[in-house]
């Protein structure tokens, strides 16, 4: 029988020790003989030159090891918020995850963002409190923060000793430990009626065996979250964590004989520029030389397959359900594509989209065409880069999460494409929201209407963050079913026309948070009554008339331009708090009362996303390199003053 597969994501905020832990797991499993280090740039998974120079992970990377009868594909992810898109794509291919929390820094805003997504997607997750060897490490304090901010269903699996020293260690709680058993029973009983009944009746009825079984079931069901402690650097607690991974996380499930289904979570270019797609198989098998379908109705031949085996890439004739593999030959494939099925809708986003953009300028003006090509290639690996071309000004811009991502794009263009570029100022990607309600109608045969249809649309504001909702409020008999077959299909297609039209509002920005209702619909027929008589309406009439009517309705509703804002928390030495408050005031930040904790202070503030980038850059200077800043997307708010307009774009 084939080995069981476990696709395991290593997730955490920046610098928590993900790459170091990945390296340690590979070492303990005997895959590597020498332990690499992030600081020396010698780890398995931080393999890009840029990652080694900067000591941070930029792209997700796969490495594998064997744990008894389970073949584990580890996916090391970046923790910096600028690279959150990488994490998002990995989330869709995981069987389980280890979320790291630093024993020193504790739960950070990024930990909360990640845990929310893991819970939403019901991905079984173990928590690993790392860096227990570092001065300032905590245990109870961290568990407390975890249960307050991440999940109430936590079970600490043991005890850490000699915290904050090189000798720090971790021991698993034993079956005889009554406090541990009581804690287990209490947490598990909440989601298991049998355990609840036994617990209430007589606690001693609950054997440790039964509790362990229930713990495994509930962890695999993403209902409870066991917590381990240790140090990726010294190796403390790693054996316990590995036992936990083997016993408490579920192996991949899926149908070997089922139809082909896989998801591409990473794209890379090989030595000679060829495209390599990382796929996670959910069903069926792909063989070399198979023609497979993917993306929006594309098809191509797989020319080679490699799988990950004990750290190395090994060529294979086929890859089956549960496994992760690299595929060659699919030249049109993009990140996020499904293999096997085509035309499937885009997966729902787990994290906020990029909120900033910047114009990229080629150092030499005759490099412009090459630059466009290079950016398109980068966007294949990272669709959120979203290259835009401004036709009037002949400018290219890319969407961004932040300054670090900008620097990485710049460095990548230099090293991989031999292109020297500079960025203009980073600007927000605004959105527009309707202010009030507005309605418009274009009648069939009216002079103002060049199309063969009557369409009436109403736009109304909807709650912040709710997106765009389309509703049909017309007589079903008025719907041209000879084109659209069913009412549902008509509604879906009209919804698409509406969303397409709302990509550009009155000021040129995408319109969000509104309800659009179709209030009138008439089509023309050759033998109809005089008011409807004419050549038969086509889908194109509806598709082309929708934006005309919608923009009229929107003009009556009017819109307000809103800018992305972020919630920022800064931790700084208390002695620089005066300078920090002054800097924040200059950056339009609304500061909540700072909390002073001895030599360290925390400031929470909400500010425009662009200003947070400035703060990022000023922070080292303001705090003598001691400041720590976390920012998370906090929605949009109306801009004050002039409404900024977006320039025309052709891409
Ligand atoms: N003392 C101590 N240092 C650690 C431990 N784990 C990691 N570090 C150090 O923390 C720093 C960051 O480690 P990484 O492994 O790069 O962290 P990461 O989570 O992969 O970081 P990103 O990928 O950039 O988000 C490095 O200097 C490591 O040597 C640990 O358990 N103890
Ligand atoms: Mg890393």
């Amino acid at each position: 029988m084939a080995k069981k597969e476990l696709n395991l994501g290593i997730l955490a905020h920046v610098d928590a020790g993900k790459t170091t832990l990945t390296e340690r797991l590979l070492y303990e499993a005997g895959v590597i003989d020498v332990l690499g280090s992030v600081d020396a740039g010698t780890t398995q998974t931080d393999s890009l030159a840029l990652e080694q120079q900067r000591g941070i992970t930029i792209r997700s990377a796969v490495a594998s090891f064997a744990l008894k009868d389970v073949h584990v594909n580890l996916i090391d992810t970046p923790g910096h918020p600028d690279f959150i898109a990488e994490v998002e794509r990995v989330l869709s291919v995981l069987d389980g995850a280890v979320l790291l929390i630093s024993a020193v820094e504790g739960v950070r805003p990024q930990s909360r963002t990640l845990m929310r997504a893991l819970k939403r997607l019901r991905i079984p997750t173990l928590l690993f409190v790392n860096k227990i060897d570092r001065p300032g490490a905590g245990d109870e304090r961290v568990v407390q923060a975890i249960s307050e901010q991440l999940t109430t269903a936590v079970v600490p699996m043991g005890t850490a000793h000699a915290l904050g020293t090189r000798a720090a260690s971790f021991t698993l709680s034993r079956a005889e430990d009554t406090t541990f058993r009581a804690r287990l029973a209490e947490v598990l009983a909440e989601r298991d009626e049998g355990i609840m009944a036994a617990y209430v009746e007589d606690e001693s009825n609950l054997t440790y065996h039964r509790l362990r079984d229930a713990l495994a079931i509930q962890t695999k069901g993403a209902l409870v979250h066991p917590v381990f402690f240790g140090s990726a650097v010294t190796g403390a607690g790693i054996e316990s964590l590995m036992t936990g991974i083997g016993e408490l996380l579920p192996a991949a499930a899926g149908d070997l004989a089922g139809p082909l289904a896989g998801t591409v979570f990473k794209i890379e270019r090989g030595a000679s520029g060829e495209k390599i797609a990382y796929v996670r198989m959910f069903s069926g098998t792909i063989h070399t030389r198979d023609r497979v379908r993917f993306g929006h109705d594309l098809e191509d031949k797989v020319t080679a397959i490699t799988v990950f085996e004990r750290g190395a890439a090994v060529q294979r004739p086929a890859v089956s359900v549960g496994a992760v593999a690299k595929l060659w030959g699919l030249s049109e494939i993009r990140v996020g594509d499904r293999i096997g099925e085509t035309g499937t809708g885009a997966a729902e986003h787990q994290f906020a989209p990029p909120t900033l953009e910047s114009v990229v300028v080629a150092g030499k003006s005759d490099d412009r065409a090459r630059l466009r090509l290079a950016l398109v290639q980068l966007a294949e690996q990272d669709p959120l880069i979203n290259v835009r071309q401004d036709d009037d000004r002949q400018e290219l811009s890319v969407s961004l999460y932040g300054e670090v991502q900008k620097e990485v794009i710049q460095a990548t263009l230099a090293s991989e494409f031999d292109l020297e570029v500079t960025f203009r100022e980073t600007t927000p990607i605004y959105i527009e929201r309707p202010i009030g309600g507005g309605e418009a109608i274009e009648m069939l045969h009216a002079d103002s209407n060049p199309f063969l249809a009557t369409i009436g649309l109403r736009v109304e504001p909807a709650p912040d963050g709710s997106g765009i909702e389309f509703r049909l409020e017309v007589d079903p008999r008025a719907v041209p079913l000879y084109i659209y077959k069913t009412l549902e299909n008509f509604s879906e297609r009209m919804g698409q026309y509406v969303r397409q039209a709302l990509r550009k509002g009155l000021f040129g920005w995408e319109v969000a948070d509104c309800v659009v209702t179709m209030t009138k619909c008439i089509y023309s027929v050759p033998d109809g009554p005089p008011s409807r008589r004419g050549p038969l309406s086509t889908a194109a009439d509806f598709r082309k008339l929708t934006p005309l009517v919608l923009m009229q309705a929107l003009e009556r509703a009017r819109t307000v331009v809103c800018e992305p804002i972020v919630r920022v928390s800064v931790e700084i030495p208390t002695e620089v708090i005066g300078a920090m408050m002054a800097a924040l005031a200059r950056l339009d930040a609304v500061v909540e009362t700072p909390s002073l904790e001895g030599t360290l202070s925390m400031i929470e503030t909400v500010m425009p996303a662009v200003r947070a980038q400035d703060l990022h850059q000023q922070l080292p200077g303001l705090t003598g390199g001691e400041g720590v800043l976390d920012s998370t997307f906090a929605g949009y708010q109306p801009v004050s003053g002039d409404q900024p307009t977006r320039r025309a774009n052709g891409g």
Side-chain angles (χ1 to χ4, degrees):
M1 204 196 99
K3 265 194 173 180
K4 282 191 273 184
E5 302 263 358
L6 169 64
N7 297 297
L8 180 65
I10 309 287
L11 277 68
H13 62 81
V14 67
D15 262 4
K18 297 172 291 296
T19 302
T20 310
L21 177 66
T22 302
E23 191 75 8
R24 171 60 69 175
L25 290 169
L26 295 174
Y27 177 75
E28 296 292 333
V31 173
I32 49 176
D33 300 328
V34 182
L35 203 57
S37 105
V38 170
D39 308 296
T42 51
T43 61
Q44 298 293 307
T45 47
D46 278 356
S47 55
L48 301 177
L50 205 53
E51 294 181 315
Q52 292 167 359
Q53 284 155 21
R54 292 182 156 247
I56 63 167
T57 303
I58 294 166
R59 308 290 317 271
S60 56
V62 184
S64 76
F65 67 94
L67 196 62
K68 293 194 181 140
D69 62 335
V70 187
H71 177 250
V72 184
N73 288 308
L74 276 181
I75 309 182
D76 179 19
T77 63
H80 195 287
D82 280 11
F83 307 115
I84 190 87
E86 285 284 308
V87 185
E88 169 150 316
R89 292 188 284 270
V90 165
L91 285 175
S92 64
V93 304
L94 299 180
D95 302 304
V98 174
L99 180 71
L100 275 72
I101 309 288
S102 160
V104 183
E105 283 85 20
V107 173
R108 307 222 59 110
Q110 184 80 346
S111 332
R112 293 199 289 270
T113 306
L114 293 169
M115 190 70 193
R116 263 200 304 274
L118 288 165
K119 287 206 285 194
R120 210 182 299 125
L121 295 167
R122 306 196 53 169
I123 296 173
T125 301
L126 306 181
L127 299 175
F128 183 68
V129 179
N130 189 33
K131 304 198 183 183
I132 59 168
D133 61 302
R134 257 190 51 193
D139 50 359
E140 302 272 320
R141 162 168 63 90
V142 181
V143 172
Q144 179 77 19
I146 290 172
S147 57
E148 280 170 10
Q149 301 181 45
L150 299 183
T151 163
T152 48
V154 286
V155 187
M157 298 299 289
T159 321
H161 313 275
L163 279 175
T165 70
R166 283 294 284 188
S169 64
F170 174 72
T171 45
L172 283 174
S173 296
R174 291 149 56 98
E176 305 81 62
D177 183 337
T178 46
T179 329
F180 175 57
R181 279 170 56 169
R183 168 94 201 208
L184 262 183
E186 199 184 317
V187 173
L188 297 171
E190 272 183 46
R191 289 154 200 91
D192 184 327
E193 283 180 14
I195 290 193
M196 178 61 104
Y199 182 58
V200 173
E201 195 178 302
D202 180 3
E203 224 181 287
S204 57
N205 280 343
L206 282 171
T207 61
Y208 182 66
H209 194 71
R210 177 148 177 219
L211 288 172
R212 276 301 291 212
D213 281 353
L215 177 66
I217 290 169
Q218 292 196 19
T219 308
K220 290 177 188 186
L223 297 168
V224 303
H225 300 104
V227 183
F228 296 82
F229 293 81
S231 163
V233 160
T234 67
I238 299 301
E239 202 185 321
S240 305
L241 177 67
M242 288 172 90
T243 310
I245 291 171
E247 289 176 4
L248 301 174
L249 293 177
D255 190 356
L256 192 64
L260 183 59
T263 298
V264 175
F265 62 95
K266 172 174 166 138
I267 297 277
E268 110 195 329
R269 296 257 167 195
S272 44
E274 78 277 19
K275 204 185 262 188
I276 306 168
Y278 286 61
V279 65
R280 150 82 205 258
M281 298 292 293
F282 285 98
S283 162
T285 304
I286 298 179
H287 304 87
T288 336
R289 287 188 294 282
D290 277 358
R291 288 193 75 83
V292 295
R293 286 155 59 80
F294 57 88
H296 285 280
D297 233 3
L298 294 165
E299 202 184 287
D300 213 337
K301 190 160 88 178
V302 175
T303 54
I305 299 174
T306 66
V307 298
F308 297 87
E309 209 162 278
R310 296 181 57 83
V314 183
Q315 194 135 1
R316 280 291 147 81
V319 55
S320 295
V321 56
V324 161
K326 294 202 241 182
L327 305 180
W328 275 256
L330 309 177
S331 57
E332 304 275 320
I333 204 154
R334 297 178 62 98
V335 158
D337 277 356
R338 316 257 187 98
I339 293 186
E341 348 159 20
T342 64
T344 39
E348 206 178 307
H349 284 305
Q350 297 302 324
F351 305 115
T355 55
L356 304 169
E357 65 181 348
S358 179
V359 171
V360 200
V361 190
K364 293 181 235 127
S365 62
D366 48 352
D367 273 349
R368 204 184 289 135
R370 273 206 317 128
L371 174 60
R372 188 183 157 78
L373 222 69
L375 288 174
V376 167
Q377 241 185 58
L378 288 186
E380 266 168 11
Q381 303 171 10
D382 184 351
L384 288 175
I385 283 185
N386 198 9
V387 187
R388 261 174 32 94
Q389 174 154 325
D390 178 333
D391 286 343
D392 297 344
R393 302 197 180 200
Q394 292 281 306
E395 281 175 351
L396 288 165
S397 62
V398 290
S399 43
L400 295 166
Y401 278 99
E403 292 302 314
V404 176
Q405 188 189 12
K406 189 159 139 180
E407 288 162 25
V408 165
I409 293 176
Q410 190 171 33
T412 310
L413 288 171
S415 64
E416 287 180 27
F417 299 92
D418 192 26
L419 279 164
E420 297 303 326
V421 302
T422 49
F423 282 87
R424 297 252 175 79
E425 184 195 12
T426 303
T427 54
I429 300 176
Y430 297 96
I431 61 162
E432 292 178 43
R433 285 186 179 135
I435 298 173
E439 197 164 352
I441 185 163
E442 274 293 347
M443 301 297 288
L444 179 67
H445 300 325
D447 288 342
S448 57
N449 183 358
F451 304 107
L452 287 169
T454 294
I455 291 180
L457 293 170
R458 185 170 68 233
V459 181
E460 290 154 302
D464 293 357
S466 61
I468 296 167
E469 190 190 332
F470 176 72
R471 292 179 190 159
L472 210 54
E473 221 170 69
V474 297
D475 186 340
R477 285 170 302 182
V479 170
L481 292 183
Y482 65 91
I483 309 175
Y484 293 99
K485 308 288 185 282
T486 65
L487 205 57
E488 291 70 41
N489 184 42
F490 177 64
S491 178
E492 198 184 313
R493 298 290 295 279
M494 277 302 299
Q496 283 168 7
Y497 305 157
V498 162
R499 285 189 184 85
Q500 176 65 32
L502 290 179
R503 287 172 61 176
K504 245 189 213 173
L506 305 179
F507 299 91
W509 306 100
E510 188 155 339
V511 181
D513 305 331
C514 61
V515 178
V516 177
T517 310
M518 184 170 198
T519 53
K520 193 86 186 161
C521 172
I522 293 173
Y523 60 93
S524 80
V525 275
D527 56 355
S531 64
R532 303 177 50 200
R533 193 168 304 159
L536 202 57
S537 309
T538 63
D541 290 312
F542 284 86
R543 178 165 49 83
K544 290 178 179 166
L545 184 53
T546 299
L548 298 187
V549 180
L550 194 53
M551 284 309 119
Q552 288 172 27
L554 206 59
E555 265 159 29
R556 292 180 187 147
R558 302 199 301 147
T559 63
V560 59
V561 176
C562 302
E563 77 175 315
I565 51 168
V566 288
R567 170 164 286 278
V568 172
S569 55
V570 248
E571 199 180 76
I572 50 163
T574 301
E575 61 200 39
V576 303
I577 199 157
M580 183 50 102
M581 296 297 269
L584 288 170
R586 285 195 299 273
L587 294 168
D588 295 337
V590 184
V591 179
E592 289 156 23
T593 336
S595 60
L596 310 163
E597 294 165 13
T599 57
L600 279 185
S601 295
M602 278 288 278
I603 301 176
E604 288 259 326
T605 149
V606 170
M607 64 202 297
V610 264
R611 295 281 86 81
Q613 298 304 318
D614 299 339
L615 182 61
H616 237 295
Q617 289 182 327
Q618 294 174 21
L619 192 71
L622 282 166
T623 62
E626 294 288 300
V628 181
L629 184 153
D630 278 310
S631 66
T632 45
F633 177 69
Y636 293 86
Q637 73 184 16
V639 294
S640 45
D642 290 344
Q643 305 279 298
T645 44
R646 177 170 241 178
R647 285 187 260 112
N649 97 75

